[in-house]
């Protein structure tokens, strides 16, 4: 939880998020009474990588996107119905050409 959320007053969070704002405030302050269930079924599976340098070549990005998707598919096994890709963070999209951003967000699959 970011320091920005931690620094917001409880009432501000409640105003914007209703009762969920109280929960966000508690989490931001290290308050969480939920029990840990270590052996439950995973709700999601992901795979990611970080590159030493930004990659601006669309074909390389496409190839990496497919590689990561295949790694997720292998981990999921048969019976999975969907696979989705989250877009890069907004600061990445703001600092790269629209062609690169669109290739990542819209045409990876």
């Amino acid at each position: 939880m970011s320091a920005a959320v931690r620094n917001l007053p409880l009432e501000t969070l409640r105003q914007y998020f209703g009762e969920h704002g109280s929960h966000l405030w508690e989490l931001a302050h290290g308050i969480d009474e939920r029990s840990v269930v270590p052996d439950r079924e995973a709700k999601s599976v992901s795979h990611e990588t970080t590159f030493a340098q930004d990659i601006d070549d669309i074909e390389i990005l496409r190839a990496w996107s497919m590689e990561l998707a295949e790694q997720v598919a292998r981990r999921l096994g048969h019976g999975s119905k969907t696979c989705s890709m989250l877009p890069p963070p907004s600061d990445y999209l703001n600092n790269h050409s629209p062609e690169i951003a669109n290739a990542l967000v819209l045409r990876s699959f």
Side-chain angles (χ1 to χ4, degrees):
M1 189 77 44
S2 76
V5 174
R6 192 171 36 254
N7 292 331
L8 289 172
L10 173 59
E11 288 309 313
T12 300
L13 290 169
R14 281 187 181 158
Q15 178 184 352
Y16 285 97
F17 301 105
E19 193 53 39
H20 185 62
S22 297
H23 182 67
L24 292 174
W25 186 91
E26 289 174 355
L27 291 176
H29 289 86
I31 302 167
D32 188 356
E33 300 298 326
R34 297 175 295 177
S35 60
V36 175
V37 182
D39 296 324
R40 70 178 181 171
E41 184 178 345
K43 292 182 179 181
S44 65
V45 175
S46 65
H47 204 86
E48 62 185 67
T49 192
T50 303
F51 303 102
Q53 297 178 355
D54 287 345
I55 298 173
D56 290 332
D57 184 297
I58 291 173
E59 293 308 315
I60 292 173
L61 293 170
R62 242 186 226 133
W64 267 105
S65 296
M66 290 307 298
E67 172 63 26
L68 294 172
E70 288 170 2
Q71 290 179 30
V72 168
R74 280 193 294 275
R75 289 174 62 194
L76 288 172
H78 300 292
S80 175
K81 296 180 182 175
T82 58
C83 181
S84 60
M85 180 178 174
L86 297 176
S90 61
D91 62 336
Y92 183 91
L93 298 178
N94 291 335
N95 293 320
H96 291 78
S97 73
E99 293 81 16
I100 296 296
N102 288 337
L104 281 170
V105 175
L106 300 175
R107 293 188 286 259
S108 292
F109 290 91

